[in-house]
Amino acid sequence: AVAQLTVDVQGIHCAACVWLLQELWRRIPGAVRIDLDPSLGRATVAYRLSQGSLAEFARRTASFGYRVGPAGKTADPADRALMVRLGICAALAMNAMMFAFAIYGGMSAADGANYTLFHGVSFGLATAAVVIGGPVFFRAALAGIRQRVLHLDLPISIGILLAWASSTVVYL
């Protein structure tokens, strides 16, 4: 017999999360199908009762930081926090680019204090964006490495760190 169940999945923040959850489900014995709605954080799963269990899926997803629970999700403070974090990072990045635009436009160290100010503010804003937004991807990438599953959060994390490191070298 095939059972179908709808559950809420907390912590989905990108397409890589959807792929990872689909891959984890595929590896569960008896898994038949999973339909994910990332905007609602909801999954409908179908599995063979004699072979698998939803508990194994919940355990595996929990090791990556996702929480699976009964459907009927209301507003989750963690989802709101992620949206606030996104908004803050977007504002920081746009302002960092605004200050960097002067440097892209030709301002150089010969311009003295203005260059130092613009360069420093741009670097500070970019660093704040990495500190506020980066941990979402860093935690997921580390969890993936620990579970021996590579997914999109790893190259995103590497890209964030390499871009910030090169900016740090240029700034210093």
Side-chain angles (χ1 to χ4, degrees):
V2 174
Q4 182 171 311
L5 184 64
T6 300
V7 294
D8 286 340
V9 182
Q10 297 175 352
I12 299 174
H13 62 270
C14 65
C17 296
V18 172
W19 175 86
L20 177 63
L21 291 168
Q22 289 171 337
E23 183 65 21
L24 290 172
W25 180 252
R26 189 182 65 75
R27 295 179 182 190
I28 300 292
V32 175
R33 184 182 82 251
I34 184 169
D35 297 319
L36 285 161
D37 183 346
S39 64
L40 292 176
R42 186 161 286 161
T44 300
V45 296
Y47 59 95
R48 290 181 186 85
L49 288 171
S50 60
Q51 294 177 328
S53 82
L54 189 59
E56 178 63 17
F57 177 67
R59 186 190 63 73
R60 288 186 186 183
T61 58
S63 69
F64 284 91
Y66 302 101
R67 293 177 299 197
V68 176
K73 184 176 180 179
T74 58
D76 181 17
D79 291 342
R80 179 154 169 73
L82 188 61
M83 290 303 293
V84 168
R85 192 181 287 234
L86 172 66
I88 291 170
C89 288
L92 289 169
M94 287 189 292
N95 282 290
M97 288 185 279
M98 182 181 66
F99 281 99
F101 186 73
I103 296 166
Y104 301 149
M107 182 182 272
S108 67
D111 294 315
N114 288 337
Y115 174 81
T116 303
L117 175 67
F118 277 54
H119 202 211
V121 169
S122 179
F123 178 72
L125 291 170
T127 298
V130 169
V131 168
I132 292 169
V136 171
F137 297 100
F138 303 152
R139 280 191 293 271
L142 286 173
I145 290 169
R146 286 187 194 114
Q147 297 295 320
R148 293 190 170 108
V149 176
L150 298 179
H151 55 92
L152 193 57
D153 287 326
L154 181 62
I156 290 172
S157 297
I158 291 170
I160 290 170
L161 291 174
L162 288 176
W164 183 80
S166 67
S167 296
T168 301
V169 168
V170 169
Y171 178 73
L172 296 176

